[in-house]
Amino acid sequence: MGTGKHRAPKPHRPKLGSLVAVGTVPLVLALVGTGTANAEPDHPVPVTRTDSADQAEAAQWPAAEAPNVRPYEGLRIPDDILSSLQWARPLPDHQYLAPLVGLHAPVPVAPVPPIAPPSGKLRFGDVQVDAPEWLYREQAIQINDTAAMAEANMATFFDSIGMERTRSDRVAGQTMGAAAIGAAAGFVFASPFALFGAAVGGGLALAIGLPFAPIGLAAGPIGAAYGAALMAAPLSAIGAGIGAGLGAVHALSAPPRALSTPDAVAPAPEVTDPAPEAADTADG
């Protein structure tokens, strides 16, 4: 007789995937029930019963209209203008520059409209550069809009303390432009430090995330970007602050420039006819 032992059957152990699938069923049912409960019972889906083929073809699906649709209407901005500011104004005319007089404490004034950038340009105050080809148009519009609104807010403040329009435009424009140049110079100066920060940050992040590979490998680029920004951002901010200060001082100290007017011409003497009595005497 066989003396082999009968093995007890192992208990059924469902796989993890099956457990997850089964566990999602109550969630799906709950979501479906919630959607059914929130549906509006007052607007049932119309069911048309007809034997006409033409009427059956006329019914289209889907036929629901999206709520809260409000078309945005405004002036048509050309595609080569990287701006979305509907209330923008053209570049100011610099024929004259008002003197810096009559300043006072800030008072409420009308907001100054932003200035529209030239075609295909990124504008930072009085600094204009060609938009790079690798920059998406939407991102270029966001950059221009942000810079234009910052310049407009600055000009509004200068208006509130009594500056004339041309002077406040120049101070705001030169401050923004010099700040952009200073930020770029600070970034260039910080480039070697940024590379070092990227190497250190990426190495540390990769070492931390390596045990959690492959997902943890994504920590490397994140750490590199953080390390580079940690080095470049402070120097760029310092450069922007220095540039803004120099630009504001230069614009405030600029001498006024008057409108050109034609030279004054002395009026010609009036020529009057001789008196009639004198003419008669000369004839006699």
Side-chain angles (χ1 to χ4, degrees), residues 17-222:
S18 301
L19 292 177
V20 173
V22 173
T24 57
V25 173
L27 176 61
V28 173
L29 294 178
L31 293 176
V32 172
T34 304
T36 305
N38 292 335
E40 295 185 4
D42 296 337
H43 300 281
V45 178
V47 178
T48 304
R49 296 181 179 179
T50 178
D51 296 333
S52 175
D54 296 338
Q55 293 181 0
E57 293 179 357
Q60 296 181 356
W61 182 91
E65 296 182 0
N68 195 29
V69 175
R70 291 172 290 180
Y72 180 65
E73 298 179 356
L75 299 177
R76 179 70 173 86
I77 299 178
D79 294 335
D80 57 347
I81 302 298
L82 302 176
S83 176
S84 67
L85 302 178
Q86 286 283 326
W87 60 98
R89 58 189 169 110
L91 290 170
D93 189 2
H94 299 291
Q95 291 185 0
Y96 75 98
L97 182 63
L100 192 63
V101 294
L103 300 183
H104 50 70
V107 296
V109 294
V112 177
I115 298 175
S119 173
K121 299 285 187 180
L122 294 179
R123 181 179 179 277
F124 306 94
D126 60 354
V127 174
Q128 302 171 13
V129 296
D130 293 331
E133 296 181 357
W134 51 264
L135 185 64
Y136 289 107
R137 185 172 185 271
E138 290 187 355
Q139 279 69 42
I141 290 175
Q142 292 174 351
I143 292 173
N144 269 342
D145 289 355
T146 302
M149 289 305 302
E151 180 188 13
N153 292 336
M154 198 180 306
T156 301
F157 170 75
F158 292 140
D159 277 10
S160 70
I161 61 175
M163 283 191 190
E164 192 268 344
R165 170 81 283 118
T166 56
R167 177 68 67 168
S168 58
D169 274 345
R170 174 156 182 174
V171 176
Q174 284 196 237
T175 302
M176 284 294 301
I181 294 175
F187 181 81
V188 171
F189 180 77
S191 296
F193 305 99
L195 292 177
F196 175 77
V200 174
L204 291 177
L206 190 61
I208 296 173
L210 193 58
F212 305 97
I215 298 177
L217 298 179
I222 297 176

Side-chain angles (χ1 to χ4, degrees), residues 264-284:
V265 178
E270 287 186 347
V271 178
T272 57
D273 295 335
E277 296 82 0
D280 294 341
T281 305
D283 292 341

